[in-house]
Structure formats: C-alpha cells, structure tokens
Amino acid sequence: MSDKPAEEPSSHPEVPDDVWEQFARDTERDIRASAPKEPSARAREVTARLKPGKGEEPPGWRTGPAWQEMNGRARRRRRAWAVLGVPLAVAVAVVAMKPSVIPGDPFGKGGKGGKGSPDAVASPLAPETAAPTAAPSAVDPETPTLDRPFAGSPALSWADGAAGIVLPPAKAVGAFSKERVQLALKQTQKLLVDANLNPKTLAGARPAVALSVLDPEQPGMIEELNTSLKTPGKAHDPLHLFSRFDPEDVRLVGDVVKTRGRITFEEGEHSGLLIHTDYTFVYPVVRTNGSTEVTRTIVRRVIDLELLDPARYQVTSGRISVNRYNSDFGNSACDVYDGYFHPEFSSPSASEPTGPEPSGPTTDPYDRSKELGGGENETCGTVSRT
C-alpha cells in the first residue's frame, strides 16, 4: 500500500477540453442567432401594415428610446449568459415552476383589488365626514370593460362595498346610552348593506336582513315594503329603499359595488335618536345575452332612521324606524315600475324596457354636494356621465 495520501476529490468535476470547446462554439452560435437582424423586404411590408397610422407612431417604434433601451438590456443579458449560462438556466427553471420564490410582484399580476390589479388606486379617498362642496373632478374618459368596470369613473377611488359604510363613534344621546346608540348604528349598517350591496338582494331576492332591523310597530311601513316587493308598481316601488336588477336581463360585473357616503346622528324630537345616512352606490353591469358592453347605474339614497324611547312610545325595543327616505337613480329607464333598475346601454336591445325619453335637466349622478330634490312631479332627466 502506498504511503502517499489519497487526493481529495475536487469540488468541481473536471470537464474535458473538447467539451468546453464545443460549449463555447454553441454559445457563440446562439448569441449570433439572437442578435437583432434587419427585416427582409417582405417582413418590412407586413410590419408597415401592422404599425399605427402615419403620424401616430408611438415612441420606441423600431428606432425610439424604448427599442434602444431594450437592445441595451439584451446585450447585457447576453454578456452575463456567457459566464453564468448553466446556473442561470437552473434558476429560470425554478422560477418558472414556482414564481413565488421572487419577492414582491415582479410580473405585475397582483392580487384581486391589490396593488397590481388593473383598477387599483394608489391613493383611495378617505372616508367622507362632511358634505362635499362640489362634484368630483372630471376624469380621463375611458370605456369600462369586464376587467376594469370602473374605468373612467370617479368611483374608481371610492371604497369597495361595505368598507365604505363607516360608522361614526357612538356616544350617549338623549334617553339612550352609548351602547344603545352603537347598536342602532350597527342596525343601520346592516340595513344599508343588505338593501344595497347583498348580491341576493341585487338579483331580486327579499332583503330579509334589512327588513329584520325595522320596527314592525311602525304604522304601515312593513306592509308597504312587502307590497312593493311582491307586486311592484308606481305607487309601490321597492327601488325607493332597495337596489334590484332583473337577473334575466343584466348581471353585476365582478363582485364590487363602489360606495361613498356618511352616517351622522343627533338627538331627535322627544329625546329620540335620529340617524342620517347619505350614500351613493355605483353598480357596473353587463347584459346576460353574452354582450361584453359594460355600463353603470348610480344610485344615491338619503335615509333618516329614528330610534324612539320605548318608555314613551309604542315601539319594539331593539328596532329602528324609517323617518324619511329619498333616492336618485342615474342611468335607469324612466317610468318603468317593475321593481328593477333597467340600465341603458349604447347598443339598444329590443327586449329591454326603455320608457319615455328623458325630459328633465342634465345632472351629474356623482355630485354629492347637492341636496336631493323631493316630490312626485319631478321629471326624469339625463346624466352627464356614468
């Protein structure tokens, strides 16, 4: 046995010279093959037909800054590949199988409603705490799509659904403790959510939760709402309190309804609690006939709810009453009283009810700075934007 110590195996396997030479030739060939080439006459002819029209070429087309920057990055990548080709190939394979190993969101996909989503807003509006002094500013005109149903709408920066119904801090009012006021505010929130945001209610189902918080002792109120839901008509219209769309005609796009408004409260008459709500809801919808055209219906509701002292009035403890309600609908057919909103699309459909032509003034349905008008003799007007 030789006394010569055994050589430790190299941490890098030896590669024959002919293999390395072949690898170098293949790499050089691949680099030449990937270099940009001047297109042939036929290719230039096809490119000319696919380009934007004359005078409309965007920066970066063939010779602009974007093309030059891209080519520079390609050269740097090729230089790195000559040295790191094998380990880089392994890394690419790992990332392809499991992109989550890269921190952040390098591919810009984002999550639903997240930073990378198409309708994500960098700075959403803070909750509304007082009446606005003007209508929302004009936004760049964009056509809403199935992927971006709020494109071109001021509601893009509004809260999503129930997140926009923010309760004010409770405090004792009149005969009611802070805890009782808090309960009444939560009941108000339940009513607004079920009446305007619940997908089942929007599809025409009975708003059971909203009805459950109302006082059955209030004369005629529950009876009127039940009648309007069962047999809607001009004298009994459920749309005064509930948002509903005919599921045979239209459906909501996605699962987000944009919401903007506020809740305030004060002491009412006879030491009662008066809760004032003023909210606008924006509903993106599409026909159910396969069309991809998206439109929006905008609904503003002002509802005053009241909590009366059961020691002084014949009321149901733990329930609230409706003191006053008013509503305004933007983009729904005039004088159609079947219990559903009927949004109007740019492409008409013979099966959709249209009602008479609007004869009233043009208004901005996103303008929350104005008081809602009242009275049954108001005419149906037009909206300046949807």
Side-chain angles (χ1 to χ4, degrees):
M1 177 178 297
S2 173
D3 294 334
K4 183 179 181 180
E7 294 183 0
E8 294 183 0
S10 173
S11 60
H12 300 281
E14 294 185 2
V15 180
D17 293 341
D18 57 338
V19 174
W20 277 111
E21 291 175 359
Q22 182 64 39
F23 176 80
R25 288 194 297 270
D26 293 343
T27 301
E28 184 180 359
R29 183 186 64 250
D30 293 340
I31 293 174
R32 287 197 301 268
S34 62
K37 298 180 177 63
E38 179 67 20
S40 64
R42 171 60 179 169
R44 286 195 297 270
E45 181 181 358
V46 174
T47 300
R49 290 200 298 267
L50 298 178
K51 287 166 54 178
K54 186 177 181 181
E56 302 175 3
E57 294 183 5
W61 179 262
R62 287 295 305 277
T63 58
W67 172 268
Q68 295 166 359
E69 183 180 352
M70 180 193 72
N71 198 29
R73 288 198 301 267
R75 281 199 299 270
R76 288 193 293 271
R77 283 197 299 267
R78 284 197 296 268
R79 284 197 297 268
W81 174 258
V83 178
L84 303 176
V86 174
L88 182 58
V90 175
V92 169
V94 171
V95 171
M97 290 185 291
K98 192 175 182 181
S100 61
V101 298
I102 300 181
D105 188 20
F107 302 109
K109 293 181 178 180
K112 185 177 181 180
K115 184 177 180 181
S117 63
D119 272 349
V121 179
S123 300
L125 290 178
E128 186 177 283
T129 56
T133 57
S137 302
V139 297
D140 293 335
E142 291 187 71
T143 301
T145 65
L146 295 176
D147 292 331
R148 303 190 65 225
F150 297 102
S153 166
L156 182 60
S157 59
W158 292 6
D160 292 355
I165 303 179
V166 180
L167 299 181
K171 63 180 181 179
V173 172
F176 299 103
S177 66
K178 175 182 177 181
E179 290 73 23
R180 187 62 189 90
V181 171
Q182 178 68 21
L183 177 59
L185 292 174
K186 289 184 177 180
Q187 290 174 314
T188 300
Q189 187 180 48
K190 284 184 178 180
L191 186 150
L192 293 174
V193 170
D194 193 49
N196 301 282
L197 300 173
N198 187 339
K200 293 182 179 179
T201 301
L202 298 181
R206 178 181 174 81
V209 174
L211 294 172
S212 71
V213 305
L214 299 179
D215 190 351
E217 294 288 344
Q218 184 177 3
M221 187 66 197
I222 298 297
E223 291 82 356
E224 164 62 25
L225 294 178
N226 283 332
T227 299
S228 68
L229 290 167
K230 292 179 180 178
T231 56
K234 185 174 183 178
H236 307 283
D237 192 352
L239 299 182
H240 290 319
L241 274 180
F242 310 120
S243 294
R244 307 167 85 234
F245 296 88
D246 190 341
E248 294 186 0
D249 293 335
V250 298
R251 63 174 175 83
L252 200 67
V253 178
D255 56 3
V256 173
V257 174
K258 289 293 185 177
T259 308
R260 183 74 176 163
R262 64 192 183 279
I263 297 176
T264 57
F265 64 91
E266 61 184 345
E267 184 175 353
E269 296 182 3
H270 313 294
S271 299
L273 173 67
L274 184 64
I275 302 175
H276 177 74
T277 72
D278 184 346
Y279 275 90
T280 300
F281 305 92
V282 182
Y283 303 95
V285 294
V286 67
R287 289 190 180 105
T288 56
N289 62 2
S291 171
T292 59
E293 180 187 353
V294 177
T295 191
R296 292 181 288 255
T297 291
I298 302 96
V299 179
R300 183 182 175 191
R301 299 191 187 281
V302 175
I303 306 173
D304 287 343
L305 302 166
E306 193 169 20
L307 183 66
L308 297 174
D309 186 357
R312 304 181 61 181
Y313 296 92
Q314 184 177 347
V315 294
T316 303
S317 180
R319 302 291 184 93
I320 54 180
S321 302
V322 178
N323 182 281
R324 179 181 69 95
Y325 56 91
N326 203 347
S327 55
D328 191 23
F329 316 143
N331 189 25
S332 183
C334 296
D335 297 335
V336 178
Y337 301 102
D338 61 356
Y340 298 112
F341 292 126
H342 291 281
E344 296 186 348
F345 296 81
S346 60
S347 55
S349 173
S351 62
E352 294 172 351
T354 57
E357 288 294 325
S359 57
T362 299
T363 59
D364 182 357
Y366 292 98
D367 187 357
R368 296 182 39 76
S369 66
K370 298 179 180 179
E371 294 288 336
L372 287 187
E376 296 183 357
N377 296 324
E378 287 193 353
T379 57
C380 181
T382 56
V383 293
S384 59
R385 54 181 173 176
T386 60

